[in-house]
Structures are given as structure tokens and as C-alpha cells.
Amino acid sequence: MQVTRIADLSRHEGEEVGIQGWLYNKRSSGSISFLIIRDGSGFVQAVAVKAELAPEVYELCDTVTQESSLRITGIVRRDARASGGYELTLTGIEIVALAQEYPISLKEHGADFLLDHRHLWIRGPRQHAALMVRNEVIAAAEGWLRSNGFVKVDAPILTPAACEGTSTLFETDYFGEKAYLSQSGQLYAEAAAMAFGKVYVYGPTFRAEKSKTRRHLIEFWMIEPEVAYADQDDNMVIQEQFVSHIVKSCLQNRRQELTLLGRDLSALEVIEPPFPRVTYDEAVDMLHAAGFEFTWGDDFGAPHEVAISQGFNKPVFVMNYPTQAKAFYMQPMPGRPEVVKCADLLAPEGYGEIIGGSERIHDLALMEQRMKEHKMAPEAYDWYLDLRRYGTVPHSGFGMGIERTVAWITGSEHIREMIPFPRLLNRIYP
Ligand code: 4AD
Ligand code: MG
């Protein structure tokens, strides 16, 4: 008999198949047992009818505990009411390992309890669905970049200097020297763009953020494309296509998971280029009109981002932030040095910033001046200045936070459930 994955049951309608998995849940009524089995690819209900099975087989169905590992056999039946569209009529069962009493019951648990049991919690249907969407977001993002000529270049995690300011740096000892966990692979992506033209880096990034919010992780994953000769406008066009492709892929390949999560799919179906664009100045006017007290020059907080994105049903670019609010490497606006050629992409429905991007300073003297203003140690960045010494060109890039993007696409409240093992303020277990 053929062992199949639950996700592939549709190919075996009417056949007897084997499933290797775990017991997610069970309901018994004496003469019939409903076993919900999961195998990593999905969930399926197997129906065991006492009158149709040998007594010892039914006995196992009746006594098997939650999260026991098991192999079952059964006949595949189409069932429109089932979430995957199919159920099984159970014909046999083998218990691989009987599980002890499982700590996560099907009733409600508190967030801390669930986070303490994250290694088990990820087995549950909602967590499984969100992480399957995450997997799709990553695959779609890399797929789009590769099919559009981007070369993947891996950036180091241990670095000699900051990319995004010193206030959120994780410091570590590097054989007697100070080293820092990467906040962003951008500076290395810039070097790689001068070698390969169109590149991206993808990896974990670290920010010692002291804020405990629903949108901040201490360790998160970022995908960072960087393109030589691209200007700010080129950069935004890439982002529109990139983000639209990712959403489309999720709608196409993870519809079942999005539905399970209760996502309003119609809000995702409208996501296609072009995306609306507003300047920082216009955004400040919008905030004032909405009654916010906000000083020109400050960075936006979560409530501001929610208010700005409210009028749009697609992600919105907020362009040209004040120089003082942004990182050292951003190209000033010609004729308006108090603002830079950058854009943050704010997701709709109040999910906030998912991308930060900019045109980079390519002039050596200006870059040196900025580093001085930001009190950066020039020795640590000498290699980066080389990029401005040897064949410098205008270039642009951006970084998309994977977990923020998945939170938006899945319609989830908390970014901490968008990563398998979140690192949060004061939490590094499990
Ligand atoms: O806006 P950020 O800080 O930009 C950069 O790091 C640039 N160097 C990227 C580049 O141009 N190559 O971060 C980019 C994105 C944010 O828009 C957000 O999605 C995510 O990274 N992000 C976080 N996600 C989770 N937790 C945090 N603490 C995050 N900080 C940033
Ligand atoms: Mg940002």
C-alpha cells in the first residue's frame, strides 16, 4: 500500500493509503472514533467504526493519546465539509510511540505558557498555517529575485561595525576584539552589487530593541535586494512587483492556510502594482489633519503608520524622510538636503512598515562627511568607503522584514507567531 502525505490525498480518492503522522485530536462515542491526524503537510480526519474493525484495532483507536505518533491506513473519501476536502475511513492503525499527557490541551492557554512550549506549539493548526505561509513568502521572494536576475550573496552575521545605528547593537567578543551581530546585510549587499550588478542577501538580523511591541523581534529575518545603477524610482518599482508576486503566490499556494487563519482574501486580491506614493511631508499633513500632534523631523511610530495607511487598500510608499530621522548612508534629495531619497513601504490594514529602502550615497566626500556627523569610526568602514573610491555608481536597495510581511499576509496580530522560535525581550527559551 502506498504511503502518502495528507496534502496529496486528492490524488488517491477511493484508494486505500497509508499515513505517517501524529494524533492531533480525537473524539470517541463508544461505537465510532474520529481521529484527527496531522503529518506535517496537513490535517485529516480518520473515521474508525467499531463494527467494521477487529476489536484490537478499534481498541487502539479508542485509547491512543493526543500527539502519539502513529501509522494508519484508510480509504480516501471526498468530503466537502473537511478542511482539506477529504477524510479517511480507517482500516488499520499502528502506534509508533504512545505520547505522555500532552501539555497543550485544546482549551485556551496563556501566551507565556504557549511561548514556553513553542517547540510543541508549532504543531497546532494555526501555528502550522502561519509558518506554512512564512515558507511560501520566503520561497516566492527568492523565486522572484532569482527569475529576475538577482544573485544571492550571503552576508556575514559577525560584523565589525553597525549598519543601522549603535543603539540596538548586540556586542560580542571576537578573539579580544569587539564584534557585533548583523543588524542588516546591506553594506555587504552594496559591495556585492558592484561585483554582480543585481544581488540579494537573506539572513537573520539582530536588534537589541528595548521595546516590547507586537511588531518587534530581537532576531528577525530580512531579505535585502541591492541594484547597481538603480535610482529611488527603480527601487520602488522593484518593490511593487516583488511584494505583489509574494502576495499572489500565497493566494495561489497557501489559500487553505489563509482561510484557516480567517484571512479576508479579498484584501489580498487587490495587491498589484502600482502602489500609492506619498511624501513624508504629505504624511505629516495627513497626521495633522487627523488630529495628531506631530513634529516635522520625527520618525513615525506605530499609531502614525496606521493612520497614514488607513486611506489606502494597497501598501503605500512614504518617501523622502528627514535626513535626521534616517540612517547615515541615504542619498540626499537634490536641492533639499534636509530630506533623503528613501521610502518605507507601509502595509495596509494597519500592519505598518514592512520594507525600508533607499538610494545610497555614492559620493566619497559626502559619505565621509556623513560618517563624521554620525560619529562612526572610519577604520571599521574603510572597506565600505572603497566602494566609493573604485568605480562608484548610484545604487539602491531595500530590506523586507519576513515576519512583518507574514503578519500582514496572514492577518495576524502578533509578529512573534510568524517565526518558528521567536527571540523576544527577556525571552530566549526554548
Ligand atoms: O528599516 P530597516 O531598519 O532597514 C534596514 O535595515 C536597511 N539596511 C535595509 C536595506 O535597505 N537593505 O529594516 C528593514 C525592515 C523593516 O521594514 C521591517 O520590516 C524589518 O526590517 N524590521 C523588523 N522586523 C522585526 N523586528 C524588528 N525589530 C525589526 N526591525 C526592522
Ligand atoms: Mg525602517
Side-chain angles (χ1 to χ4, degrees):
M1 181 185 325
Q2 206 182 340
V3 172
T4 185
R5 304 198 83 207
I6 291 169
D8 298 331
L9 283 177
S10 64
R11 291 191 222 144
H12 300 280
E13 193 175 340
E15 294 170 24
E16 188 173 29
V17 297
I19 298 283
Q20 310 185 120
W22 295 263
L23 183 75
Y24 170 65
N25 189 14
K26 185 182 68 174
R27 278 185 299 124
S28 290
S29 73
S31 60
I32 187 162
S33 287
F34 301 96
L35 310 182
I36 303 194
I37 317 278
R38 54 173 199 86
D39 74 343
S41 78
F43 292 75
V44 69
Q45 175 166 278
V47 184
V49 181
K50 190 173 186 177
E52 292 170 7
L53 294 166
E56 63 279 13
V57 172
Y58 189 77
E59 173 71 12
L60 286 177
C61 295
D62 206 28
T63 54
V64 62
T65 53
Q66 188 188 351
E67 286 304 323
S68 293
S69 43
L70 38 74
R71 296 192 178 93
I72 65 154
T73 56
I75 298 160
V76 182
R77 313 257 185 229
R78 219 186 134 64
D79 182 352
R81 292 162 305 170
S83 70
Y86 293 87
E87 72 169 30
L88 295 169
T89 302
L90 186 134
T91 55
I93 181 168
E94 174 202 341
I95 296 175
V96 177
L98 195 67
Q100 299 179 20
E101 193 179 342
Y102 194 61
I104 302 181
S105 61
L106 299 167
K107 67 171 196 333
E108 292 275 307
H109 291 285
D112 272 320
F113 178 88
L114 290 170
L115 286 165
D116 282 340
H117 293 85
R118 183 64 177 166
H119 49 296
L120 303 176
W121 188 23
I122 53 175
R123 300 179 183 191
R126 290 186 67 84
Q127 301 306 314
H128 182 269
L131 294 176
M132 288 296 277
V133 174
R134 174 194 175 91
N135 184 56
E136 186 67 31
V137 166
I138 296 165
E142 293 207 69
W144 188 89
L145 290 167
R146 282 170 182 272
S147 62
N148 282 279
F150 287 74
V151 176
K152 183 180 191 175
V153 180
D154 300 312
I157 305 298
L158 288 166
T159 61
C163 177
E164 295 297 320
T166 50
S167 66
T168 63
L169 273 181
F170 266 108
E171 193 179 305
T172 184
D173 173 69
Y174 197 78
F175 308 109
E177 277 184 61
K178 276 185 187 170
Y180 308 96
L181 299 185
S182 176
Q183 298 170 306
S184 159
Q186 178 194 320
L187 306 188
Y188 298 93
E190 289 184 56
M194 301 306 136
F196 301 94
K198 293 162 80 170
V199 301
Y200 71 101
V201 306
Y202 176 54
T205 46
F206 306 85
R207 309 254 173 119
E209 309 257 15
K210 300 287 160 22
S211 49
K212 195 172 178 179
T213 79
R214 293 181 298 170
R215 314 191 311 142
H216 286 91
L217 292 167
I218 303 302
E219 178 177 318
F220 63 98
W221 288 69
M222 196 173 8
I223 191 156
E224 298 180 87
E226 190 76 29
V227 180
Y229 290 101
D231 65 13
Q232 145 113 322
D233 193 62
D234 300 328
N235 201 29
M236 289 190 285
V237 169
I238 292 170
Q239 290 172 52
E240 288 169 345
Q241 296 178 0
F242 179 68
V243 169
S244 300
H245 172 80
I246 292 167
V247 171
K248 228 169 223 91
S249 297
C250 290
L251 280 169
Q252 207 159 56
N253 302 324
R254 300 272 74 98
R255 189 168 280 266
Q256 197 178 313
E257 285 82 356
L258 291 171
T259 307
L260 182 143
L261 291 167
R263 186 65 170 106
D264 172 10
L265 298 181
S266 67
L268 298 177
E269 268 150 5
V270 299
I271 306 303
E272 53 179 67
F275 295 167
R277 299 175 181 193
V278 301
T279 62
Y280 174 91
D281 297 345
E282 289 166 341
V284 171
D285 289 343
M286 288 161 69
L287 290 177
H288 288 159
F292 283 88
E293 265 187 52
F294 187 89
T295 313
W296 193 97
D298 288 349
D299 204 355
F300 298 130
H304 306 125
E305 290 182 357
V306 172
I308 294 162
S309 63
Q310 219 151 44
F312 305 98
N313 65 350
K314 291 189 202 181
V316 55
F317 287 111
V318 180
M319 308 182 299
N320 311 335
Y321 282 67
T323 311
Q324 67 190 75
K326 287 292 181 186
F328 72 94
Y329 49 71
M330 295 185 183
Q331 175 74 12
M333 215 40 187
R336 243 198 115 188
E338 73 280 12
V339 300
V340 282
K341 291 174 91 176
C342 72
D344 281 359
L345 187 65
L346 311 185
E349 303 170 81
Y351 285 94
E353 177 195 333
I354 54 171
I355 288 181
S358 62
E359 196 172 313
R360 322 305 191 185
I361 292 173
H362 58 278
D363 180 73
L364 176 63
L366 179 57
M367 185 60 90
E368 286 175 327
Q369 184 195 323
R370 275 286 190 281
M371 288 186 162
K372 246 189 223 121
E373 290 165 7
H374 284 257
K375 301 195 170 49
M376 297 159 66
E379 321 82 70
Y381 296 91
D382 200 44
W383 68 271
Y384 185 66
L385 292 172
D386 271 353
L387 306 176
R388 278 75 189 165
R389 293 188 182 110
Y390 308 112
T392 189
V393 297
H395 60 286
S396 301
F398 63 92
M400 185 184 84
I402 295 295
E403 293 78 16
R404 294 253 188 104
T405 304
V406 177
W408 162 48
I409 293 178
T410 56
S412 302
E413 208 177 325
H414 266 289
I415 192 175
R416 65 184 181 212
E417 294 172 34
M418 305 298 113
I419 184 166
F421 297 99
R423 306 289 88 153
L424 303 167
L425 194 62
N426 305 328
R427 171 178 287 282
I428 196 169
Y429 179 91

